[in-house]
Each structure stands twice: as C-alpha cells, then as structure tokens.
Amino acid sequence: EAQVTQNPRYLITVTGKKLTVTCSQNMNHEYMSWYRQDPGLGLRQIYYSMNVEVTDKGDVPEGYKVSRKEKRNFPLILESPSPNQTSLYFCASSSGRGELPSYEQYFGPGTRLTVT
Amino acid sequence: AQKITQTQPGMFVQEKEAVTLDCTYDTSDQSYGLFWYKQPSSGEMIFLIYQGSYDEQNATEGRYSLNFQKARKSANLVISASQLGDSAMYFCAMRESPYSGNTPLVFGKGTRLSVIA
C-alpha cells in the first residue's frame, strides 16, 4: 500500500529538549515536504527536499532542521523546541517529475506536538 | 496577497442536500493544479479531488465535483447528497508550475462543514 508514515503521532515535550519526527514514504518519490498547521493560519511549508541531499527552506523554517540521506526518509529535527512550535505537523511527498500524478501530494497522518 | 481564499469559515447543510464550498485563487502561472482536501476531527488530510489548469472538463469523484471557472479564478467544491460523515474541515489548495523547483501546496484557511441530521 502506497503511504507516508510519520512517528510519533503524538508528542508532549519540554522546552529545549531536542526531538526528531520521522517521515518515510514507500512510493519512491523525489519530492518531500514538511508543513505545520496552526488554527486560523492553515498549512505552511517548513522545509522541502527535491531529492537526496537536496533540501531547502520553505516559508517558516526558523527553529527546524531536516536531512535527506535516503530517498524514502525525511526527518524533521527540532534542536531546541519552544512553545511556539506547538502545532500539527504533516509530512508530504510527491513525484518530482512534471507528469500529472506529480500534482498530488500524499500526506502522512500528522504529528501533534506540544511543547511546554 | 493571499493565493487561496476561502470566504466561508463555517457552513451547515442538511443531510442529503448538496452544498458548495467556495474557493478563489490567485496565480499568474498558466500551469497549475487545484486540490480539495478533507480534514476530519482525527486530523489526517484526505485528498478529495484535483483539477488541472488545462483540464477543460470539471473534475468529478463520486459525490464530489469541482466547479472550475478559470476566468473567474474560482474552484468551488460541490458535495452532493451530504452525509453525516462529511462533517469536517475542508481545504482548498493550489500547486503552481510543478515543472520548476519547489512547488508547495498553498492552502486556504479552510471551511468547517457541519452536516445536520
């Protein structure tokens, strides 16, 4: 089954304690992306990756890091989480080619993060 | 300027009735894709329907159809025969120029649909 998985699904942590949210896709997609969703603001892109070892900032990258060492994995790293990073996080992937199926982004189930 | 505008923060519809969720967009690209996603209270993002900018016919997927009016830059979602399970948040989104570089989905702020029995 084609899917994007994220772990953990729920996380409560304290300010300053480093954490990693994992994301993995089994569709051999080149393009992967992280979004955060906040009430009244919709979804905003944090970081994206066009392919292995190719990453770049989205609209709200401050306080986050990513890596893309393998095609299937795109972890989101919060080196020193703060309460304003409390949010719902989504990983998404799509084919990097310009064909019609690449228009669709497949979303993971989301990770609810609370930073106290 | 907002690229995706959803003007209805919340809507109610009677079960078995049809409902239209509004979406207008702003882009100067000729090639783009328009999407609707459903987000139930459990939080996952569920893809509903897609419309390409060059598609001449309106997209349909089961009870979902997209009323695409390119000149007006609108992409309204029509849900026919509403069901209680349709109660959720609905997001309109756009992806521009997928042939070049980073092409994130840009989302509207959503419309919360409540279906009444």
Side-chain angles (χ1 to χ4, degrees), chain A residues 9 31 35 37 40-43 45 48 50 88 90 94-100 102-105 107-109 112, chain B residues 31-33 35 37 39 41-45 47 50 52-53 55 91 95 98-99 101-105 107-109:
Chain A
R9 295 288 311 278
Y31 183 88
Y35 296 86
Q37 183 182 15
L41 295 176
L43 282 85
Q45 191 187 45
Y48 67 95
M50 298 298 293
L88 177 59
F90 288 99
S94 70
S95 170
R97 300 184 300 276
E99 297 129 2
L100 195 62
S102 76
Y103 278 81
E104 180 181 347
Q105 291 201 5
F107 280 82
R112 290 192 184 273
Chain B
S31 177
Y32 52 91
F35 303 78
Y37 285 86
Q39 187 178 41
S41 57
S42 52
E44 70 267 29
M45 296 292 284
F47 167 73
Y50 161 82
S53 57
D55 294 341
F91 290 96
R95 193 176 187 195
Y99 301 91
N102 179 35
T103 54
L105 275 170
F107 287 82
K109 295 186 177 180

Side-chain angles (χ1 to χ4, degrees), chain B residues 91-113:
Chain B
F91 290 96
C92 179
M94 176 174 64
R95 193 176 187 195
E96 296 172 303
S97 302
Y99 301 91
S100 59
N102 179 35
T103 54
L105 275 170
V106 178
F107 287 82
K109 295 186 177 180
T111 295
R112 183 168 298 282
L113 178 67

Side-chain angles (χ1 to χ4, degrees), chain A residues 5 11 16 36 44 49 53 69-71 73 92 100 105 109:
Chain A
T5 56
L11 179 61
R36 62 177 287 174
R44 296 174 293 167
S49 170
E53 303 291 3
K69 293 183 169 48
E70 306 164 281
K71 199 172 189 180
N73 296 324
L100 195 62
Q105 291 201 5

Side-chain angles (χ1 to χ4, degrees), chain A residues 2-43:
Chain A
Q3 60 180 353
V4 179
T5 56
Q6 292 178 230
N7 281 293
R9 295 288 311 278
Y10 303 90
L11 179 61
I12 301 173
T13 189
V14 296
T15 298
K17 185 176 182 181
K18 181 179 178 179
L19 67 93
T20 299
V21 184
T22 64
C23 172
S24 183
Q25 49 92 6
N26 62 1
M27 295 166 279
N28 201 37
H29 283 164
E30 293 89 356
Y31 183 88
M32 298 185 74
S33 183
W34 277 101
Y35 296 86
R36 62 177 287 174
Q37 183 182 15
D38 301 291
L41 295 176
L43 282 85

